[in-house]
Amino acid sequence: MNRRFNRGTVTILTLSFMTLARSAYAQSPNLFATFGQATPEKSFTFTPSAGGASFGLSSAIPVNFQYQTTNGLGPVGINIPALLTLSSVNQGSLITEGGFLIQPLQNIEMRFTSLSAPSNAGDLLRLSLTTGNLITRPGSQTASLTGTESPTGGSVVNFASDYLDFSVPLQNKNFSISLTSVEPRIADGGNGFLAPFTATGTGNFGSSPLPPPKNQIPEPGTLALVALGGLLFTRRRKHAA
Amino acid sequence: MNPLFKTTLVGLMLIATSSLGHAQTITFANFTQKYSGTPPVAPKVFEFVNTGNAATTGFTTTTLVNFTFLVNPSNPSIPVGTPIDANLTITSLVDGFSTGNFVPSQKLKSVQISFTGTGALAGQNLLTVFASTGVLSGSKGSATANLEETDNGSTQIVQYSSSFLDFSTSNQQNYSISLNNIDSPGLVHDGNFPSGYLASFQANASGQFASNAAFIPEPSTFALLSLGALGLLRRRRK
């Protein structure tokens, strides 16, 4: 077989593959979606009860949701009115460490559904985590709910969406929600859980790489490179023939 | 009691009560980060910079964000509950060394957060925060962290100012900024125990701000008051 043909073909195919690979596989996690409450209601609620505790929203609340990456719904960064639901339960008891109160949570489920045209019922984002942490300080009126997928085990984070493709391999999946206007102020409930409180929330979601949009069209630069490789491959075959 | 008179009285009481400041804090504004460039990526510009020197170590950012008023601003052309573009800058210094094992934390001081308007609101002060202290913390090794502070009930640590909101009646304030997408190894100490700081990192962020200030009453309150006053006037004329 012609060695020049082989080396050239391999080079072209390798360059094409590397371009496609680089466009899909960055190592550093980045932001793909954000949300903020659209009203000041203290809808996030921590509720201890006999033998357990829950943290979430008693009913869906209106939020402003934005994709911060190319998506299958519309332009990046536009404000999408949405409804948010959230539920979780405690995983074990309250932990006290270094002046902080940490309430481990499990079975964290979040869902953002679009309220705006053209899709009034699309799932913008669904999130489920096996474990996360509610971190705060005694006497504070703020807290944070966070979760990170650990490569060594621990929390498992799953994302799903009607407009982003989470079927591709993703790493470093994470989210973080800040809570303010905590009322009453944070306290150890004395029963193994935080004392009950309500709060307002806003948050971010990320992964590496950024999830591609569903029904993605490759970038023009990538398409051009692959087409060039194909043309050169065809010319070489004709010369060889 | 005449129902219309009662309505007016209730409205007046609400106005009077609100002028004294709310008992509870209300989250009056939030922000989320914006993407930039092609392909669109939200830059990780929220940075903790560890130089090893307390004078030059701290939390900082300069970036464009979505800023949302959740209460009525004094300028009726500014939407409530819908994001507007804003330029955000944050600066701070460290206050002591980092501590904690399961929850690494870093006390900050002189935290300054500034949102200025763009377009028709260019250069105007949407919100400025000055907090004498702040706490940057999170789960060890996590890709997430939180920057926050709360007034302790007796000393005002967090102070707000704005061209569009009146904070003169407030005495309870708090803020919280959530950070995520911190690169490996995540939120950790720099290893220089006991005199080190958090290791440098870059992140994305969103956040919220709360106060018990007496903000402009909700439109429904004004409607209640107006209805009561109109009804009273009609009855007196009859």
Side-chain angles (χ1 to χ4, degrees):
Chain A
M1 191 180 289
N2 189 324
R3 286 187 180 178
R4 285 193 306 166
F5 172 85
N6 275 344
R7 278 202 294 271
T9 304
V10 169
T11 303
I12 290 166
L13 288 175
T14 301
L15 282 173
S16 300
F17 176 78
M18 285 174 63
T19 302
L20 283 168
R22 191 168 61 243
S23 69
Y25 283 90
Q27 295 302 313
S28 177
N30 275 103
L31 187 69
F32 64 78
T34 58
F35 84 93
Q37 280 193 223
T39 63
E41 272 69 33
K42 296 170 196 175
S43 305
F44 291 80
T45 305
F46 183 84
T47 307
S49 59
S54 65
F55 179 73
L57 299 164
S58 59
S59 60
I61 64 168
V63 298
N64 294 312
F65 181 93
Q66 298 107 25
Y67 286 119
Q68 300 300 338
T69 185
T70 308
N71 60 88
L73 178 60
V76 180
I78 61 167
N79 186 50
I80 305 170
L83 287 178
L84 166 63
T85 59
L86 166 67
S87 66
S88 67
V89 296
N90 69 291
Q91 185 191 45
S93 301
L94 188 63
I95 299 169
T96 303
E97 201 258 9
F100 288 88
L101 297 173
I102 303 110
Q103 176 63 68
L105 299 173
Q106 62 180 339
N107 302 335
I108 302 169
E109 302 280 340
M110 293 182 71
R111 185 178 186 187
F112 296 89
T113 52
S114 172
L115 286 172
S116 58
S119 172
N120 291 326
D123 269 354
L124 300 171
L125 181 66
R126 296 190 303 277
L127 164 68
S128 66
L129 282 90
T130 53
T131 59
N133 287 312
L134 195 55
I135 302 174
T136 184
R137 295 184 290 152
S140 178
Q141 288 193 283
T142 69
S144 65
L145 171 61
T146 65
T148 301
E149 187 163 79
S150 168
T152 58
S155 183
V156 175
V157 180
N158 287 313
F159 291 123
S161 168
D162 288 340
Y163 306 105
L164 292 176
D165 184 3
F166 289 102
S167 66
V168 300
L170 296 175
Q171 298 176 340
N172 301 314
K173 289 176 280 185
N174 68 88
F175 85 101
S176 181
I177 294 177
S178 63
L179 302 168
T180 52
S181 296
V182 171
E183 294 283 356
R185 289 177 180 259
I186 292 290
D188 184 336
N191 56 356
F193 309 111
L194 290 170
F197 69 83
T198 59
T200 314
T202 186
N204 310 324
F205 307 88
S207 68
S208 62
L210 288 169
K214 283 195 171 172
N215 305 315
Q216 179 186 21
I217 298 173
E219 294 177 29
T222 305
L223 279 173
L225 204 63
V226 172
L228 182 63
L231 275 173
L232 289 171
F233 179 77
T234 306
R235 282 189 66 185
R236 282 189 172 271
R237 287 194 72 179
K238 284 182 181 172
H239 282 303
Chain B
M1 185 184 287
N2 182 304
L4 289 168
F5 178 77
K6 191 188 293 184
T7 302
T8 307
L9 192 62
V10 168
L12 283 170
M13 286 173 64
L14 281 170
I15 298 289
T17 304
S18 68
S19 70
L20 298 176
H22 300 287
Q24 295 192 354
T25 61
I26 296 172
T27 300
F28 61 85
N30 62 40
F31 80 91
T32 56
Q33 205 178 335
K34 287 179 72 79
Y35 78 99
S36 64
T38 302
V41 175
K44 292 198 283 193
V45 292
F46 292 82
E47 300 186 61
F48 182 77
V49 179
N50 180 344
T51 66
N53 183 328
T56 52
T57 292
F59 189 80
T60 180
T61 193
T62 300
T63 189
L64 187 65
V65 299
N66 295 306
F67 181 88
T68 304
F69 282 109
L70 300 182
V71 296
N72 293 306
S74 59
N75 183 336
S77 70
I78 300 175
V80 178
T82 302
I84 59 176
D85 285 352
N87 291 307
L88 167 63
T89 59
I90 303 178
T91 61
S92 77
L93 297 172
V94 291
D95 184 8
F97 303 120
S98 62
T99 59
N101 182 24
F102 185 77
V103 180
S105 70
Q106 176 69 62
K107 282 194 71 177
L108 304 175
K109 64 181 179 182
S110 302
V111 180
Q112 298 195 66
I113 304 170
S114 172
F115 296 91
T116 53
T118 64
L121 300 172
Q124 296 195 53
N125 175 21
L126 300 178
L127 177 67
T128 297
V129 184
F130 181 79
S132 55
T133 60
V135 178
L136 184 57
S137 63
S139 296
K140 181 180 179 181
S142 170
T144 63
N146 201 59
L147 169 60
E148 52 88 12
E149 189 56 283
T150 300
D151 281 338
N152 62 16
S154 58
T155 305
Q156 191 156 21
I157 301 170
V158 182
Q159 296 179 343
Y160 294 127
S161 69
S162 169
S163 296
F164 307 105
L165 292 176
D166 181 5
F167 293 101
S168 61
T169 58
S170 69
N171 58 8
Q172 299 291 326
Q173 332 238 64
N174 57 89
Y175 72 90
S176 178
I177 297 175
S178 60
L179 305 161
N180 73 331
N181 296 322
I182 299 172
D183 286 330
S184 178
L187 190 74
V188 293
H189 293 290
D190 63 9
N192 298 320
F193 295 103
S195 57
Y197 311 102
L198 288 178
S200 296
F201 67 81
Q202 297 172 314
N204 296 116
S206 63
Q208 306 186 118
F209 306 88
S211 169
N212 69 339
F215 298 117
I216 295 174
E218 295 293 316
S220 59
T221 306
F222 273 130
L224 199 71
L225 184 60
S226 302
L227 191 65
L230 275 172
L232 270 176
L233 277 171
R234 283 188 67 186
R235 280 193 171 259
R236 288 189 70 180
R237 281 177 189 164
K238 284 181 184 174

